[in-house]
Amino acid sequence: MENKSGEFAITRIARHFRPAHYLLKIQSFSLLCETGVEKYDSGVFEVGGHKWRLTLYPKGNEKMNGTGHISIYLSIVDTEKSPLGWEVNASFKLFVYDQIRDKFLTTQDVEGAIRRFHDIKTEWGFDKFLPIDSFNVISSGYLVNDCCVFGAEIFVHECSAKRECLTMIKEPPNRIMTWKIENFSKKDKVLYASQVYVVGDLKWKILIYPNGYYNEVPKAISVFLDSVDCVAPDYKIFVDFKLRIRDQINNEHAEERAKHWFSASSYDWGFSQLLSRKDLEDASKGFLVEDTLIVEAEIMVMSTVK
């Protein structure tokens, strides 16, 4: 959140208990300023499995319009061995010690905003942490006997969220599954299943009920597409597909199209009346040639989840 001047809004509060992670005590602060040193980098300290340091500009960071203020920043360091694309998300508080009232003035981004540290942006902090005039006033308690104390608390937010990527694939590889069933008139079981077909990275079978789906439709052939992969309770696959029985003479196939989310509780889908037995037994229709039936499933669109 930014204020009207374009600066990030901050909150300040005084508290008694000291910073949890790091304290930086500077003696002879005025002498440090007189030397003309632009900034001071603290020693390295470790929090949340990462290494950090404070950077203090005693006369303000001029490049960031911090003139007239003390500027202070938190940097992540020793990242040379981190993997490509690394990032660390953290919220933090920076402190200055009021030695008279035994309190720490706590400064943080409004609402404890989480900052993303990465290879391009390794430093976050406050350009105008505290006006130098206020800091130098003895009654403020920040600079007593030319001594001052700064501090830091860091809260690393580990990224442990489960990730899911849904991809819709149009016309996936090997999308047409063809099953040639010989000696079809001799099939006397209720249900027959094809071999396993691999379309993209997913496995499928074609199911056929020669005399209808459990005899509910005894005068028709029922055909279904069956997902082999839908086993896990939370796994689902969207498929836009066609089921057909080929007309081997006239190319006037018996065909229907469906869209369905396959899952563990709904792992097959199709048509109970894809082809009537009357049309099957009519030789001129071309569905049964030399007692061979050709059944196909074609996937136009399917989803994958990774």
Side-chain angles (χ1 to χ4, degrees):
M1 182 183 295
E2 296 183 359
N3 58 28
K4 293 181 179 179
S5 64
E7 299 173 347
F8 286 104
I10 61 175
T11 58
R12 303 180 192 272
I13 189 172
R15 75 182 204 191
H16 283 288
F17 53 99
R18 65 176 56 199
H21 299 129
Y22 193 71
L23 286 172
L24 169 63
K25 183 177 181 180
I26 302 176
Q27 295 180 322
S28 303
F29 182 80
S30 61
L31 186 57
L32 175 66
C33 296
E34 290 172 7
T35 61
V37 172
E38 180 187 15
K39 66 176 182 176
Y40 173 74
D41 292 325
S42 78
V44 175
F45 58 98
E46 187 169 336
V47 179
H50 304 281
K51 293 182 179 180
W52 311 85
R53 70 157 43 102
L54 290 179
T55 299
L56 178 75
Y57 290 76
K59 292 185 177 181
N61 185 353
E62 294 182 5
K63 295 178 182 178
M64 299 302 293
N65 298 318
T67 303
H69 293 73
I70 289 177
S71 303
I72 188 168
Y73 304 92
L74 175 69
S75 301
I76 189 168
V77 298
D78 292 354
T79 59
E80 294 80 6
K81 295 182 180 180
S82 298
L84 184 66
W86 68 269
E87 65 176 52
V88 176
N89 296 290
S91 55
F92 60 90
K93 300 175 182 178
L94 301 181
F95 302 80
V96 61
Y97 181 44
D98 178 348
Q99 303 171 58
I100 296 176
R101 298 164 190 83
D102 190 25
K103 289 185 177 181
F104 288 88
L105 178 65
T106 306
T107 303
Q108 65 177 352
D109 290 303
V110 68
E111 298 180 353
I114 298 174
R115 297 301 184 192
R116 188 166 68 98
F117 295 80
H118 51 90
D119 55 350
I120 300 175
K121 178 70 172 175
T122 59
E123 180 180 88
W124 288 95
F126 307 106
D127 307 320
K128 299 179 179 180
F129 178 70
L130 195 66
I132 291 176
D133 291 343
S134 299
F135 179 79
N136 288 333
V137 173
I138 295 176
S139 62
S140 69
Y142 303 127
L143 188 63
V144 176
N145 296 325
D146 209 19
C147 175
C148 55
V149 179
F150 298 92
E153 277 184 356
I154 307 166
F155 305 90
V156 176
H157 299 262
E158 296 293 347
C159 183
S160 58
K162 180 180 179 181
R163 297 187 180 187
E164 178 176 310
C165 179
L166 171 67
T167 303
M168 305 300 291
I169 303 173
K170 185 177 181 180
E171 297 181 352
N174 305 315
R175 66 182 184 276
I176 298 177
M177 298 162 271
T178 302
W179 181 20
K180 184 181 291 187
I181 308 173
E182 298 177 344
N183 301 314
F184 184 77
S185 63
K186 298 179 181 179
K187 303 298 182 184
D188 56 0
K189 293 182 181 178
V190 173
L191 167 66
Y192 290 87
S194 72
Q195 67 183 69
V196 175
Y197 301 90
V198 179
V199 180
D201 294 327
L202 301 179
K203 297 177 181 178
W204 304 91
K205 289 182 180 180
I206 300 173
L207 307 180
I208 189 168
Y209 295 80
N211 293 300
Y213 183 62
Y214 286 105
N215 293 321
E216 291 181 9
V217 189
K219 295 184 179 180
I221 296 175
S222 303
V223 181
F224 295 82
L225 181 64
D226 177 79
S227 170
V228 178
D229 297 295
C230 285
V231 178
D234 59 346
Y235 188 73
K236 59 183 180 179
I237 307 166
F238 172 81
V239 183
D240 179 356
F241 66 99
K242 293 179 182 178
L243 291 174
R244 71 174 66 92
I245 297 177
R246 294 189 64 88
D247 174 353
Q248 303 172 54
I249 298 175
N250 312 297
N251 286 325
E252 295 180 2
H253 313 307
E255 180 180 279
E256 295 288 349
R257 184 168 181 169
K259 298 177 182 180
H260 184 63
W261 281 98
F262 290 81
S263 65
S265 60
S266 184
Y267 51 82
D268 59 22
W269 197 258
F271 303 96
S272 58
Q273 301 183 60
L274 185 60
L275 179 67
S276 69
R277 295 290 305 191
K278 179 180 178 182
D279 286 342
L280 174 71
E281 293 162 3
D282 185 341
S284 66
K285 298 287 186 178
F287 294 112
L288 195 62
V289 176
E290 296 182 357
D291 206 19
T292 297
L293 189 77
I294 300 176
V295 183
E296 288 184 341
E298 180 179 359
I299 294 179
M300 274 72 70
V301 179
M302 74 178 188
S303 67
T304 61
V305 177
K306 294 182 179 179

